[in-house]
Every structure is written in C-alpha cells, then in structure tokens.
Amino acid sequence: MSAQRILVTGSTGYVGGRLVPRLLDAGHQVRVVVRSPQKLRDVPWAGQVEIVEGSLQDTDAMAAACADIDVLYYLVHSMTGRGDFESEERAAAESVASAAKNAGVSRIVYLGGLHPDVPDLSRHLRSRALVGTTLLASGVPTVAFQAGVVIGSGSTSFEMIRHLTEVLPYMPAPKWVRNRIQPIAIRDVLHYLIAAIDLPSDVNRTFDIGGPDILRYGQMMNGYAVEAGLPQRAIAALPVLTPWLASQWVNLVTPIPRRIAVPIIESLQHDCVMNEHDIDAVIAPPDGGLTGYRRAVRLALAKINDGDVETSWQNASVDGAPSDPLPSDPDWAGHTVFIDLKVRETDASPAQLWTVIEGIGGDNGWYSFPLAWALRGWLDKLVGGVGLRRGRRHAQELQTGDALDFWRVESIEHEKHLRLRAEMLVPGKAWLEMQIEPGENGRSRYRQRAVFFPSGLSGRLYWLAILPFHGIIFNGMANRITLEAEQRPA
C-alpha cells in the first residue's frame, strides 16, 4: 500500500476517531474536516493531522479540504432524528460529492447501514442509504460499505446493549428482540475501510459487511452478560411496546439520550443481515478470520477485566486498541463508572503528606469514622471476605502487591501516588487512589479518588446505598490526612 493523501470526515465520531490513527500508522498523510476543532483537543493524534474547520455543506471549506486529496472517507451521519435531517443528509452528501469531483479525488469510502430490501425502512437507515446513493452517483469511484451493529466500547449500538444488560436482570422488550442481526467488530470494520484504499478504480458499488455470527438481539444481550460475568437475562418480548415507547424505556434505564435511542430502535424493526457476500471477492478477511461476537465483546471489556483502571476510566488515554475508549467518545459511552473525588490544598509538603499516606491502614487506621471502617470489615468477613484486620506487612512502608487490610496495593510511586484495589466482596470492582501534586512555596494539593465499576443492577444499588456515608467517610479522610500531614516534622 503506497502512502496516500487522505481526508477523513467524521473524525470526532466513533469510527473516524479510531480510523485516523491507523491511517497515520500506515504512513498516510491525513487531513480532517471538523465543525469544532476543540473536540480534537484531547485525542492523541491531533498534532499529526491537518485540520480544516467547517461543515460539510460549507463549499469553501470542502473545496479546501479536498484539495490534493487521493482518498476521502465519509463517516458522518446524524443520529438526532430532529427536523428534516434526511434533506440535510442529502445536502451534505451532495456538497462533499461535488467538492471531491472538482478536486479530482480518486476514491470515496463510505460507511452506511446494513438493511433489508424493504419499502418501510426507518428514517435513520433510509437516510444512510440515500447518502450512499448520492456518493455512488458522484462520478468519483465510491465504495459504500453497509454494516450492522458495530461492537466496541463507544459504539452507540453496543453501548445500548451494554447498559440494558448491566442494569436489567429482567427485560420487558419489544418483539424486535427476536429479530436476527449480524454484528461486526470495530476492528473488522477498520480492516475493510483501510483495505478499500487499494480497490481498483472501476469498483463503484455497495458491499454488505458483517461478522461471522447471526444472532437475535436477545442473544446478543445474553452473550454480553456471559462475557461481563453477569447472570443470563430473562427477556420477554411484548408486542405492545412501540418504537417510541421502547425509546422512552431505554432513555429511562440507560444514559443514552432519547434523541439517539429513537433512530437506533426504529432501525431494529427488521432483520439486519448480509444480503450478499461479494466483499470476499475484492477484500480478503483479516488475518485469523473475522471476529466472532463473543470475542468482540470480550475485547471491548478487556481493560476492565484486566484491571487496567487507567484506560477504563472515561477520558483516559488509550494504548491504540480499536475497542478501547477515546476521549472524543460521548459521556454516556463506556462502562458505568462512579467516582468520589476529594481535593484539598494544604501547607504540608509532598514529603509530609507521603508519610501519612504510606502509613495508612493497619494499626494507623483510615483517618475517618473508625467504627464505619470496622463495621465494613466485619461484614466482609461475615460473608466470606478477607475482612479489615488483615493488616499490613510493614508499619510505614508499602510495596506493589502488598496486602493492606481489605485492599491490595496496585500501584505506588514515592511522594506521588498510591492506588489500592479493593479485595472486599462487592458487586463490582473498586479502587481508592491518593495523589500528591506539588504546589508553590512548599505547599501541596491532595487528590483522593474512590472509583467503582458496578456489576449489574446490584452494583448500582450498592453504590447508591453507601453514597450517604461517602460524605462522612471520604470527606473526613481527606481532612484528617492533610491535617495530620501538616503536623508532621518538615
């Protein structure tokens, strides 16, 4: 594959944000066009691309964006369903098609939606098909991929499966949970998108793409449950739930906004499987074959299952895996995370603070509401956990891997941070992190963060149950630690 000059529209979206770094890794020159460049502020590759500010309907911006471009990726689609968005989608596609034709672009690559050949498509799928038709008629060789549910952390369809499955042990659902769907892993979508660069110039058509599994929507939810370590979910298909009512239900029990849930649910009214497999004749499957649904879910959950809390928290940095979260993903994407953050400015130096932090637990206690800590340890022991009084190896020094009451030292950096992983029995995964930031004139900032990844409905109820105590325990803990540090010898 020779290096190409590539324009990506939709670079702040789910697929575009994962495609750009892979194009850069392959040695291509990448330009992106965005309405708001500040949305790219935190993505790790922002400094490696050329950014053109403007909308797809801005003819001047698109002319500048398409200049000297070889391949254009069209990865933009409205999910709001508000107003006459079909006309807006058509106008945007016509604007891009005209700019690409005038600039002599060699190839357009579009990602649309997999859909059956029926007259009553949802507005969402109908508009995506219309965009594909517009680009195919542009006079620029175009490949329009048609994919179904994309599996990966941050994908809207996957996030709906994730949140519904984790929250609801029993789900009254519309009859479309019995419809057949052919999901595809995000890594396989990226494989096809990148391989399309080298397609011959006479290829100008749609291609259905999908993974190796055809499942009912209910099976997808229970497949997620198995990979997430949750019990199988009881799902009852109810004919009375209309798409509108179902979207209200999704909006109630998940963080996905109703304006996004509505077009997704409307698009689930029919089977969504590949009508043809012609793609195999022009683009070979990835090495090792296409990714099965359960493995795709496993990859999307890998960071949490591996205990890699740094890359699982929202807005965290990523290591490049296509199923990982990105800073540009919406706030409701990713595993549900509950955080209790306390920040204190103190006259204590980092060294003074560290002596208190490293000496925490064991006989020194937890600097707040000792009765509550003792009760939590007793309850943990009662249900078969390790209990609070496991103590610590050394009275003042900690090392990675040390047991610390019902915690385990997961990460430690002298005078900077201590992260503890909970080993008490809780319906989820929990961490307690204490950080020190040096300030001016010998002062410090103390940051204390409790993080909880709930498992299912019981995990969410557990967090809500203990939330009233956090104001007492964690506030008191932050106050006492900084006060104690100020009294230590400088």
Side-chain angles (χ1 to χ4, degrees), residues 126-429:
R126 191 167 63 239
S127 68
R128 299 190 78 173
L130 177 61
V131 169
T133 300
T134 301
L135 296 176
L136 286 165
S138 65
V140 177
T142 297
V143 56
F145 292 119
Q146 300 180 150
V149 173
V150 178
I151 305 301
S153 183
S155 162
T156 305
S157 298
F158 174 72
E159 293 303 333
M160 193 166 82
I161 295 171
R162 182 209 298 266
H163 289 299
L164 285 174
T165 307
E166 290 189 351
V167 171
L168 300 174
Y170 169 81
M171 181 180 175
K175 60 183 180 181
W176 49 253
V177 296
R178 297 173 177 166
N179 289 346
R180 298 183 306 148
I181 297 175
Q182 192 164 1
I184 183 169
I186 179 60
R187 61 185 52 221
D188 294 339
V189 172
L190 296 174
H191 165 77
Y192 287 121
L193 289 174
I194 293 172
I197 293 175
D198 291 330
L199 287 177
S201 59
D202 60 348
V203 175
N204 186 76
R205 56 161 294 181
T206 63
F207 287 100
D208 290 353
I209 58 174
D213 300 320
I214 297 177
L215 305 167
R216 300 189 187 280
Y217 198 86
Q219 290 176 312
M220 292 173 63
M221 291 180 62
N222 275 319
Y224 177 93
V226 171
E227 294 301 330
L230 300 171
Q232 294 279 293
R233 278 17 191 167
I235 301 173
L238 304 178
V240 297
L241 278 180
T242 66
W244 184 87
L245 285 174
S247 67
Q248 303 302 315
W249 175 241
V250 169
N251 185 53
L252 178 65
V253 299
T254 79
I256 299 174
R258 190 182 67 83
R259 61 182 175 81
I260 295 177
V262 168
I264 293 179
I265 290 172
E266 288 178 344
S267 301
L268 296 173
Q269 305 309 306
H270 303 282
D271 288 345
C272 190
V273 298
M274 295 174 65
N275 297 307
E276 43 82 10
H277 291 78
D278 296 352
I279 189 63
D280 295 335
V282 293
I283 297 178
D287 293 340
L290 294 166
T291 308
Y293 173 71
R294 290 271 297 273
R295 180 167 180 261
V297 172
R298 199 175 310 134
L299 290 168
L301 299 177
K303 294 303 177 184
I304 296 167
N305 293 338
D306 292 343
D308 189 350
V309 67
E310 293 291 351
T311 53
S312 297
W313 290 343
Q314 292 170 344
N315 298 324
S317 60
V318 296
D319 63 6
S323 51
D324 288 348
L326 284 180
S328 55
D329 290 343
D331 293 340
W332 44 261
H335 193 285
T336 298
V337 182
F338 296 124
I339 297 178
D340 185 292
L341 175 64
K342 301 290 183 284
V343 180
R344 298 290 185 272
E345 303 287 342
T346 175
D347 291 330
S349 67
Q352 289 172 300
L353 261 178
W354 184 251
T355 59
V356 179
I357 292 172
E358 193 174 15
I360 203 167
D363 292 336
N364 296 324
W366 294 85
Y367 295 98
S368 174
F369 206 164
L371 180 61
W373 285 95
L375 179 61
R376 183 65 184 87
W378 180 81
L379 289 174
D380 188 59
K381 196 71 173 177
L382 185 66
V383 296
V386 298
L388 182 65
R389 299 307 299 172
R390 190 166 55 172
R392 48 181 295 154
R393 175 188 59 83
H394 189 281
Q396 292 298 328
E397 297 178 2
L398 291 174
Q399 296 179 8
T400 301
D402 277 358
L404 182 58
D405 294 333
F406 47 44
W407 303 91
R408 179 76 62 179
V409 178
E410 186 173 86
S411 176
I412 184 170
E413 188 173 357
H414 188 72
E415 293 192 10
K416 289 188 177 180
H417 88 270
L418 171 67
R419 186 167 71 233
L420 307 175
R421 184 181 70 248
E423 293 192 337
M424 77 282 278
L425 295 179
V426 294
K429 298 176 183 291

Side-chain angles (χ1 to χ4, degrees), residues 23 44 237 263 275 458 464:
L23 294 173
N275 297 307
S458 60
L464 291 175

Side-chain angles (χ1 to χ4, degrees), residues 436-451:
I436 302 171
E437 297 176 0
E440 297 180 354
N441 302 319
R443 303 181 80 247
S444 305
R445 172 178 294 170
Y446 172 68
R447 294 173 58 87
Q448 176 183 291
R449 182 163 54 173
V451 179

